[in-house]
């Protein structure tokens, strides 16, 4: 069983940066592809980015490409999301997720493609 805890959210002005981190406990995450999703009020939980277990493959939703970077440190059991050039539309609760398979070869775009979830971290971008 994998437990995930996010940290690093907060309030930032548009154009600013934040870094989210997710630490896994209860099991190593070396065999798990990891992802970040976000959910704005009244909206569904949407895919943001994912990374394969080795870190060799990273994928992003188009709206964050060039602004966000997902990375992982398997030795520290952490996955991070560096968010730059933040926009008002990035405001949401951000969730870290892990899936049982290591790769991103099969579907990874939906919340049901991931089996373990953190509690979420609020990111608020102000004008």
């Amino acid at each position: 069983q994998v437990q995930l805890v996010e940290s690093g959210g907060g309030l930032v002005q548009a154009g600013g940066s934040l870094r989210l981190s997710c630490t896994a406990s209860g099991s190593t995450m070396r065999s798990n592809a990891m992802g970040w999703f976000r959910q704005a009020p009244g909206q569904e939980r949407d895919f943001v980015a994912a990374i394969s277990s080795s870190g060799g493959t990273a994928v992003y939703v188009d709206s964050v490409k060039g602004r966000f970077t997902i990375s992982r440190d398997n030795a520290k059991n952490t996955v991070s999301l560096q968010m730059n050039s933040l926009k008002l539309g990035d405001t949401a609760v951000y969730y870290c997720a892990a899936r049982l398979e290591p790769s991103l070869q099969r579907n990874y775009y939906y919340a049901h493609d991931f089996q373990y979830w953190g509690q979420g971290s609020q990111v608020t971008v102000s004008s």
Side-chain angles (χ1 to χ4, degrees), residues 28-33 53 72 74 99-103:
T28 64
M29 49 185 247
R30 290 186 177 89
S31 298
N32 304 100
S53 61
R72 65 189 296 159
N74 286 342
R99 63 195 237 144
L100 291 172
E101 56 189 286
S103 76

Side-chain angles (χ1 to χ4, degrees), residues 4 6 20 22 33-40 44-51 59 61 64 68 70 79 81 83 90-99 104 107-123:
L4 304 173
E6 300 100 336
L20 298 177
C22 173
M34 304 292 294
W36 288 95
F37 286 72
R38 63 187 180 187
Q39 189 167 19
E44 294 186 351
R45 192 169 295 188
D46 294 329
F47 173 79
V48 176
I51 189 167
V59 292
V61 68
V64 308
F68 290 12
I70 188 171
V79 61
L81 186 68
M83 304 183 292
D90 294 320
T91 295
V93 177
Y94 282 70
Y95 295 90
C96 174
R99 63 195 237 144
L104 299 175
N107 294 339
Y108 55 80
Y109 200 74
Y110 297 101
H112 62 242
D113 295 323
F114 289 76
Q115 289 74 47
Y116 302 104
W117 292 88
Q119 82 287 353
S121 182
Q122 177 70 47
V123 171

Side-chain angles (χ1 to χ4, degrees), residues 1-79:
Q1 187 81 11
V2 176
Q3 290 87 42
L4 304 173
V5 177
E6 300 100 336
S7 61
L11 174 65
V12 65
Q13 286 192 323
S17 298
L18 279 176
R19 184 178 181 89
L20 298 177
S21 293
C22 173
T23 301
S25 62
S27 177
T28 64
M29 49 185 247
R30 290 186 177 89
S31 298
N32 304 100
M34 304 292 294
W36 288 95
F37 286 72
R38 63 187 180 187
Q39 189 167 19
Q43 303 295 317
E44 294 186 351
R45 192 169 295 188
D46 294 329
F47 173 79
V48 176
I51 189 167
S52 61
S53 61
S54 67
T57 300
V59 292
Y60 302 89
V61 68
D62 285 347
S63 60
V64 308
K65 283 180 181 177
R67 300 189 299 122
F68 290 12
T69 302
I70 188 171
S71 61
R72 65 189 296 159
D73 185 339
N74 286 342
K76 297 181 179 179
N77 264 5
T78 60
V79 61

